[in-house]
């Protein structure tokens, strides 16, 4: 049988994560002790009350039916959370839609709003799911570079007028992955004005909104005056509540846009396992207690890795939040080659910057997913690299 993938599959290049893991495993078999800073998968277990609740609910025979559009308990918890944390009013009936983790929502959202040939404004570098969704919709990405000179924020003023006129969707991620730049109300006000002028839908990915280490929490896009007129915000319980494996997230904002996403979702799945939704609601209602513990831990890790890499000559992008460190290494070697060399010589596993776009050449993304002692050891090992 001659099996051929669709032409569309040529747009989805194999992820390097699997190859890095395979190479790391080979080194481990040779006796190298690995320090894996590649995937942003939380290494801290969910709070005990969340695990206990999950255990109780999964034992109930009534927990195993379809949930379709989601349970009201979860939607109302999202609204309470947004009111407490962001001072944003949301309608649980019309302004909330669940997704099976933010990855699923991010990949499918362009399908709901973009036709083939439509332009989507995205960043370079950017989280890989954005490009996947753009390609799935048959849309065309326009890449806005994230530069040190612009504090790693997309420069809307640099977008050519003809691109602005044709753009359908703008994707932002602040604080971001891989570059953890922080937003300001002034910047979001600029985004709202831009979106209104050119009739562009805004999607803000707020996956790391609870990961802040100085001052106040990152500003919700929806807290910006006029934001609900032009856009949506997607958030996940994966990082902020250590619930990555449960795959639960939500999109909130403009009711008309949410209704379109609900229509798409009704054709894709039959909802999320009810115990997961109930536990997620409990997490949101206790967010201040749950996330403060995680913030304390990740704040120390963040400081350790930032200062450690700087001390050995790496140029680290300034950040006060997020789950990653974005750093330029002091060697003249392509980043993919350097990632493999680092595994071979040190056992430290990192993600090369070009995974996230061409502007990532010369950079590494390091996840804060190991204890402080391991991060200190990683810096010590990286200081010994010989090329």
């Amino acid at each position: 049988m001659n099996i051929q993938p669709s032409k569309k599959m040529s747009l989805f290049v194999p992820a390097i994560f699997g190859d890095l893991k395979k190479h790391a495993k080979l080194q481990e078999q040779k006796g190298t002790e690995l320090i894996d800073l590649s995937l942003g998968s939380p290494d801290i277990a969910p709070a005990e009350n969340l695990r206990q609740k999950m255990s109780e609910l999964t034992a109930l025979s009534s927990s195993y039916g379809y949930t379709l559009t989601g349970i009201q308990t979860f939607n109302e918890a999202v609204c309470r959370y947004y009111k407490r944390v962001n001072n944003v009013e949301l309608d649980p009936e019309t302004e909330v839609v669940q997704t099976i983790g933010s990855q699923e929502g991010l990949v499918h959202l362009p399908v709901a709003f973009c036709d083939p040939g439509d332009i989507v404004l995205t960043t370079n570098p950017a989280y890989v799911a954005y490009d996947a969704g753009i390609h799935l919709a048959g849309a065309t990405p326009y890449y806005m570079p994230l530069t040190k000179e612009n504090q790693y924020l997309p420069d809307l003023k640099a977008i050519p007028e003809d691109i602005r006129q044709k753009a359908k969707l703008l994707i932002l991620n602040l604080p971001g992955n891989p570059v953890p730049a922080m937003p300001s109300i002034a910047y979001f006000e600029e985004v709202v004005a831009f979106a209104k002028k050119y009739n562009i839908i805004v999607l803000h990915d707020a996956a790391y909104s609870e990961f802040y280490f100085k001052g106040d929490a990152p500003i919700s896009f929806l807290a910006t005056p006029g934001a609900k007129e032009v856009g949506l915000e997607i958030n996940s319980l994966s990082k902020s509540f250590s619930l990555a494996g449960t795959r639960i997230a939500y999109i909130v904002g403009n009711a008309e846009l949410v209704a379109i996403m609900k229509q798409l979702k009704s054709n894709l799945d039959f909802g999320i396992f009810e115990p997961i939704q109930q536990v997620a609601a409990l997490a949101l209602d206790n967010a201040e207690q749950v996330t403060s513990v995680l913030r304390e831990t990740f704040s120390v890790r963040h400081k350790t890795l930032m200062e450690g890499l700087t001390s050995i000559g790496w140029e680290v992008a300034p950040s006060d939040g997020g789950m990653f460190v974005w750093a330029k290494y002091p060697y003249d070697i392509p980043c993919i080659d350097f990632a493999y060399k680092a595994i071979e010589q040190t056992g430290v596993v990192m993600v090369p910057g070009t995974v996230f776009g061409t502007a990532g050449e010369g950079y590494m993304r390091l996840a804060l997913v190991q204890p402080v002692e391991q991060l200190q050891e990683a810096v010590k090992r990286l200081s010994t690299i010989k090329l």
Side-chain angles (χ1 to χ4, degrees), residues 72-92 96 175 204-212 217-223 233-243 248-252 279-292 294-295:
Q72 190 72 4
T73 301
F74 175 79
N75 285 10
E76 291 175 352
V78 170
C79 296
R80 288 192 295 270
Y81 170 79
Y82 258 74
K83 178 60 179 174
R84 288 197 325 275
V85 175
N86 302 311
N87 197 29
V88 171
E89 296 276 1
L90 292 170
D91 185 333
V96 183
H204 179 233
D205 180 0
Y208 303 96
S209 60
E210 289 284 3
F211 280 81
Y212 58 95
I219 300 159
S220 166
F221 174 66
L222 295 184
E233 192 158 67
I234 185 169
N235 206 339
S236 164
L237 283 89
S238 293
K239 317 297 185 183
S240 302
F241 298 90
S242 290
L243 291 169
I248 186 164
Y250 54 86
I251 297 173
V252 291
V279 168
L282 179 63
L284 289 166
D285 281 337
N286 292 274
E288 289 80 356
Q289 294 88 346
V290 174
T291 61
S292 63
L294 291 175
R295 260 195 309 280

Side-chain angles (χ1 to χ4, degrees), residues 38-75:
S38 59
L39 291 182
S41 180
D43 62 307
I44 301 172
E48 184 176 354
N49 66 325
L50 302 184
R51 289 182 279 130
Q52 182 63 36
K53 185 71 169 178
M54 184 75 78
S55 177
E56 293 171 2
L57 292 173
T58 55
L60 299 177
S61 60
S62 59
S63 294
Y64 290 84
Y66 291 130
T67 57
L68 299 177
T69 56
I71 62 173
Q72 190 72 4
T73 301
F74 175 79
N75 285 10

Side-chain angles (χ1 to χ4, degrees), residues 48-351:
E48 184 176 354
N49 66 325
L50 302 184
R51 289 182 279 130
Q52 182 63 36
K53 185 71 169 178
M54 184 75 78
S55 177
E56 293 171 2
L57 292 173
T58 55
L60 299 177
S61 60
S62 59
S63 294
Y64 290 84
Y66 291 130
T67 57
L68 299 177
T69 56
I71 62 173
Q72 190 72 4
T73 301
F74 175 79
N75 285 10
E76 291 175 352
V78 170
C79 296
R80 288 192 295 270
Y81 170 79
Y82 258 74
K83 178 60 179 174
R84 288 197 325 275
V85 175
N86 302 311
N87 197 29
V88 171
E89 296 276 1
L90 292 170
D91 185 333
E93 297 288 344
T94 62
E95 296 180 333
V96 183
V97 58
Q98 290 182 6
T99 66
I100 306 174
S102 59
Q103 179 101 351
E104 182 263 311
L106 290 166
V107 171
H108 284 136
L109 186 134
V111 175
F113 299 107
C114 298
D115 291 314
D118 281 345
I119 290 177
V120 178
L121 305 175
T122 184
T123 59
N124 181 8
Y127 181 47
V128 294
Y130 305 154
D131 258 10
I134 294 167
H135 292 322
L136 189 64
T140 302
Y142 176 85
Y143 297 108
M144 304 173 291
L146 300 181
T147 64
K148 179 181 178 180
E149 294 71 29
N150 207 50
Q151 292 76 53
Y152 297 99
L153 295 170
D155 185 358
L156 303 179
K157 297 182 183 70
I159 301 170
E161 184 66 24
D162 63 323
I163 298 296
R164 300 181 188 200
Q165 296 287 349
K166 297 175 184 175
K168 185 72 175 291
L169 175 66
L170 166 63
I171 303 175
L172 298 173
N173 178 208
L174 300 164
N177 173 13
V179 188
M182 300 291 272
S184 67
I185 192 67
Y187 183 75
F188 278 154
E189 286 173 346
E190 180 185 350
V191 170
V192 170
F194 177 83
K196 286 184 176 180
K197 181 176 180 179
Y198 293 100
N199 195 39
I200 297 171
I201 299 165
V202 178
L203 171 65
H204 179 233
D205 180 0
Y208 303 96
S209 60
E210 289 284 3
F211 280 81
Y212 58 95
F213 310 130
K214 292 182 182 178
D216 296 329
I219 300 159
S220 166
F221 174 66
L222 295 184
T224 312
K228 274 210 284 186
E229 297 172 37
V230 298
L232 300 166
E233 192 158 67
I234 185 169
N235 206 339
S236 164
L237 283 89
S238 293
K239 317 297 185 183
S240 302
F241 298 90
S242 290
L243 291 169
T246 63
R247 310 313 302 139
I248 186 164
Y250 54 86
I251 297 173
V252 291
N254 182 280
E256 290 183 71
L257 300 177
V258 166
I260 293 169
M261 279 304 298
K262 284 183 177 179
Q263 181 183 350
L264 174 64
K265 288 284 293 173
S266 70
N267 287 275
L268 297 178
D269 61 75
F270 286 103
I272 298 167
F273 188 38
E274 184 175 343
I276 291 175
Q277 295 186 57
Q278 295 282 5
V279 168
L282 179 63
L284 289 166
D285 281 337
N286 292 274
E288 289 80 356
Q289 294 88 346
V290 174
T291 61
S292 63
V293 174
L294 291 175
R295 260 195 309 280
E296 289 175 12
T297 299
F298 279 89
S299 177
V300 177
R301 293 179 181 184
H302 178 259
K303 186 173 186 289
T304 299
L305 196 53
M306 293 272 288
E307 293 181 352
L309 291 174
T310 301
S311 73
I312 63 172
W314 290 47
E315 183 182 337
V316 182
S319 69
D320 293 324
M323 197 177 181
F324 305 98
V325 168
W326 181 248
K328 189 172 186 178
Y329 52 84
Y331 306 101
D332 185 18
I333 179 175
C335 62
I336 291 178
D337 295 339
F338 180 68
Y340 285 105
K341 289 287 186 184
I343 293 171
E344 292 166 6
Q345 293 189 24
T346 71
V348 179
V349 189
M350 304 170 286
V351 181

